[in-house]
Amino acid sequence: MIRFLLTAMLATTSLSAVAAEPAATVRELNRGPGQDETFAYDPAIIRIPVGGSVRFEPTDKGHNVTPIQSLWPAGSPPVTVPFNAEGTVTFERPGVYPVQCTPHTGLGMVALIVVGDADLAAFAPRVPSASGLAPKAKAKLSALAGAAG
């Protein structure tokens, strides 16, 4: 019974974490939140409404934030937060915005910013054929798109 209640509480917490918030903070980490996970954004899935913002916080040094160009929404301005710098970005258009840490993309340091009622079902099939993206980054983006959808 206790195990069931704990599972139900965790499921409820996970669902509420996916709800869109007007502002979010993302930490840049050398050691991810998951067991044996290295080089990660935390959280890796961010949901915000149109006009919402994301603050990137360099918890550990050596990280930046740049767009994954081959998957970036057409016509949307790029996101760039320099190495070891804190930065806040506001998103004015709905869409799925994949970001990466340039030196750690190959190790899977990617995240998805879902703005408004963006269509993850349309985004997910584009990931496997994204040019210039390492297999581990593609796998993580696919998993994130599936988890967020």
Side-chain angles (χ1 to χ4, degrees):
M1 180 68 164
I2 292 173
R3 176 184 252 173
F4 174 76
L5 291 174
L6 182 58
T7 303
M9 285 174 46
L10 289 173
T12 304
T13 303
S14 297
L15 290 175
S16 65
V18 184
E21 295 291 331
T25 298
V26 176
R27 298 178 312 143
E28 302 162 18
L29 304 170
N30 288 343
R31 288 208 148 300
Q35 186 178 16
D36 298 326
E37 184 180 11
T38 59
F39 303 110
Y41 293 111
D42 182 34
I45 302 172
I46 304 94
R47 283 192 178 273
I48 57 172
V50 173
S53 61
V54 177
R55 181 174 145 256
F56 292 94
E57 181 181 279
T59 305
D60 294 322
K61 298 216 181 288
H63 305 294
N64 69 340
V65 180
T66 62
I68 297 175
Q69 292 293 343
S70 59
L71 296 170
W72 199 253
S76 295
V79 167
T80 303
V81 178
F83 283 95
N84 308 319
E86 186 175 297
T88 299
V89 180
T90 300
F91 293 83
E92 300 295 343
R93 295 175 156 180
V96 180
Y97 294 83
V99 296
Q100 64 188 335
C101 173
T102 345
H104 302 121
T105 303
L107 299 171
M109 191 167 177
V110 296
L112 287 179
I113 302 164
V114 182
V115 181
D117 59 352
D119 186 2
L120 280 163
F123 173 82
R126 295 177 46 219
V127 173
S129 61
S131 62
L133 202 53
K136 191 167 183 177
K138 286 181 182 182
K140 185 163 184 182
L141 285 174
S142 292
L144 292 173

